[in-house]
Amino acid sequence: MLASRRLTLLAAATLVGACSASAPPGGAPPAGAPAPRGADAAFPALDAIREADLRRDLYALAGDHFRGREAGTLDELRASVWLAEQARAAGLEPAGDDGTYFQWWSIRRYRISDDSRIAIDGQPVRLFAEAAVLAPVDTTVDAPILFVEPGAPVDSAAVRGRVVATELVPPADVSAAALQRYGPGAVRRAAAPFVRLGAAAVVVVSDTLAEARFGAGGDLMERGRYGVDSAGFTAYWPDARGGARRPQGGAPVIWVRRALLDRLRAPDARLTARLTTENFLYPSVNIVGRVPGTDPALRDEYVLYSGHQDHDGVRTAVDGDSIWNGADDNGTVSVAMLAIARAFHQAPGRRPVLFVWHGAEERGLLGSRHFVMHPTVPKEQIAAVLNADMIGRNDPDSAALLGAQPPHRNSTALVEMALRANQTVTRFALDTLWDRPTHRERWYFRSDHLPYARAGVPAIEFSTNLHPDYHTPRDEPGRIDYAKLARMTRWMYATGWLVANAAQRPGVDPGFRLER
């Protein structure tokens, strides 16, 4: 829940202004201008992409029936079966495992167990109602509390072996989109120096903004950590960047409500904690279908459309609504892929086209990470990945293309095809700010193109960026701009059509290396 309506409106205006202020690259025509004559002939199935179809499918997928499609739940699996049936109806051939549309895999979840206990001076603190442990950890703590005012100097001798408590200070400016994650991120940053100095535990008290987010943040912390499971070994980041992690002993970071501030500041206050973890195994699934190509010489070079279909499920209610539907994130792309599938089925390209609806993106890009590790076609046969995430909101004539500029660009040829398709068909003004490594949202690193790019596959992402309803129950089908969604879908289709019919598949730029 946002701090105030004024903040929400101000942030929304800032987002829209940033998008609309950016100019299209290469002297492209103004956004919203009619497509040049002949565009329909160049892209023969544009008319297969219809607003009415997108609206119908999105109300089905992102309505309350599927309860927010949380990864690892029956709701995600029911939505996945619905998507597989829609893929079949769209004319896609099954391209998952064993001649089906499904690629099943397992999520390993670690969480703080319900048997864990925290107390201040012997008085219990309710886990995830008054205090949230940021990461699963097995440890026991019994130590005096040292309260450190924000910004006060402190040395390792004073900290080592003690519980450090401090409080957050509200930032001078925070966007509505950043506010959705403000609590946990701010707590981690505040705790990090004391963890490095050897504190036994760090307790961080909410400021007014974090207090407003504690319910949603507590939901997230209570769920714990998720990873791709392989024979009981959980690889949280199985893309050659970070190895694998499991809960272990160490200094826990505990985020608490403001009501505990005076107890933590009291002289001779002491914290005791016994934290244990438990883990569970859940099924998740990628939905995979294909349209064969028409050129036998190119039958082993796939254009891959990528998007995730999961969202956040049933969580803390906001204004009486507890279903976090995820209509824009990422229902818009899920139904756009169905529309693109119908278009390619109506008029196939020279290369085959693969469609992958990834599961469990919201748990850490898990479905795409699993697919990159276990692709249903040889990885070297994937010519390009066209990923998308959130394509139905904000200014009607603006959009973003992630992976279009260094250091995020890994294929100049693929980017040029996307820009050509935009100039020919849709003419969006492209906001380049969100693709920069200096952008505070780090948007490039937060969607399913990332594992493919790191695996050496040409990859881009289409988006219309964050908005104030991001990761709230207000992200519902009635708030989507369906005319814009149809234009974004046509841009994605046209880009894939160019890749599918190019004489040469796009290559990876020499020396491609991400900043992290």
Side-chain angles (χ1 to χ4, degrees), residues 146 194-195 215 237 246 259 311 314 351 376 381 383 410-411 462 510:
L146 171 67
F194 304 112
V195 172
W237 307 111
R246 282 177 169 228
H311 195 60
V314 179
R351 288 181 175 84
T376 61
Q381 292 180 7
N410 80 334
S411 176
F462 302 83

Side-chain angles (χ1 to χ4, degrees), residues 223-265:
R223 280 165 166 78
R225 293 278 181 88
Y226 298 75
V228 178
D229 188 82
S230 177
F233 184 75
T234 302
Y236 283 113
W237 307 111
D239 60 359
R241 287 296 183 99
R245 300 180 295 173
R246 282 177 169 228
Q248 56 186 0
V253 175
I254 305 169
W255 174 20
V256 303
R257 289 189 177 274
R258 289 194 64 76
L260 296 179
L261 179 60
D262 290 343
R263 290 169 60 184
L264 292 166
R265 274 185 163 149

Side-chain angles (χ1 to χ4, degrees), residues 31-364:
R37 295 175 63 88
D40 288 350
F43 305 100
L46 277 176
D47 61 353
I49 297 169
R50 296 183 286 266
E51 283 184 43
D53 293 341
L54 294 164
R55 182 186 297 269
R56 177 200 64 220
D57 290 344
L58 189 58
Y59 269 88
L61 179 63
D64 288 351
H65 177 70
F66 289 123
R67 292 166 38 92
R69 314 180 305 281
E70 182 172 3
T73 69
L74 289 174
D75 301 318
E76 182 197 29
L77 301 186
R78 289 166 57 240
S80 297
V81 170
W82 181 88
L83 274 170
E85 175 57 22
Q86 300 308 307
R88 184 202 62 76
L92 296 189
E93 297 180 354
D97 292 335
D98 304 318
T100 73
Y101 292 99
F102 305 102
Q103 183 190 45
W104 296 98
W105 49 280
S106 296
I107 301 173
R108 178 72 66 174
R109 173 192 178 196
Y110 285 94
R111 67 181 293 271
I112 295 290
S113 73
D114 292 337
D115 292 334
S116 296
R117 298 288 183 269
I118 297 176
I120 300 173
D121 292 333
Q123 298 180 42
V125 175
R126 291 176 296 152
L127 268 174
F128 304 109
E130 296 177 289
V133 183
L134 260 64
V137 61
D138 286 304
T139 191
T140 299
V141 177
D142 185 354
I145 296 171
L146 171 67
F147 195 92
V148 177
E149 297 294 341
V154 65
D155 60 38
S156 58
V159 167
R160 189 174 295 114
R162 300 184 73 175
V163 174
V164 174
T166 188
E167 63 177 318
L168 295 176
V169 177
D173 175 46
V174 61
S175 72
L179 184 59
Q180 305 308 320
R181 296 172 313 287
Y182 169 71
V187 169
R188 288 188 186 95
R189 289 189 293 273
F194 304 112
V195 172
R196 288 195 295 268
L197 290 174
V202 181
V203 180
V204 181
V205 181
S206 292
D207 58 25
T208 53
L209 293 179
E211 183 73 10
R213 291 291 301 161
F214 190 90
D219 278 353
L220 181 65
M221 302 303 106
E222 186 173 11
R223 280 165 166 78
R225 293 278 181 88
Y226 298 75
V228 178
D229 188 82
S230 177
F233 184 75
T234 302
Y236 283 113
W237 307 111
D239 60 359
R241 287 296 183 99
R245 300 180 295 173
R246 282 177 169 228
Q248 56 186 0
V253 175
I254 305 169
W255 174 20
V256 303
R257 289 189 177 274
R258 289 194 64 76
L260 296 179
L261 179 60
D262 290 343
R263 290 169 60 184
L264 292 166
R265 274 185 163 149
D268 302 321
R270 191 174 192 90
L271 182 136
T272 56
R274 179 174 57 83
L275 303 176
T276 59
T277 62
E278 57 188 2
N279 70 88
F280 308 90
L281 197 63
Y282 302 109
S284 191
V285 65
N286 296 325
I287 306 301
V288 192
R290 68 171 165 241
V291 175
T294 60
D295 189 337
L298 301 176
R299 65 183 181 183
D300 293 331
E301 296 184 7
Y302 286 87
V303 183
L304 190 153
Y305 281 96
S306 161
H308 73 91
Q309 58 85 359
D310 67 304
H311 195 60
D312 282 345
V314 179
R315 299 201 175 194
T316 299
V318 177
D319 297 328
D321 187 357
S322 62
I323 299 178
W324 297 40
N325 299 81
D328 195 26
D329 185 14
N330 198 28
T332 50
V333 174
S334 295
V335 301
M337 289 169 61
L338 289 173
I340 295 167
R342 297 183 192 107
F344 273 100
H345 178 68
Q346 177 177 305
R350 295 175 62 199
R351 288 181 175 84
V353 183
L354 199 66
F355 295 83
V356 185
W357 288 266
H358 297 110
E361 187 265 3
E362 299 290 2
R363 302 281 72 80

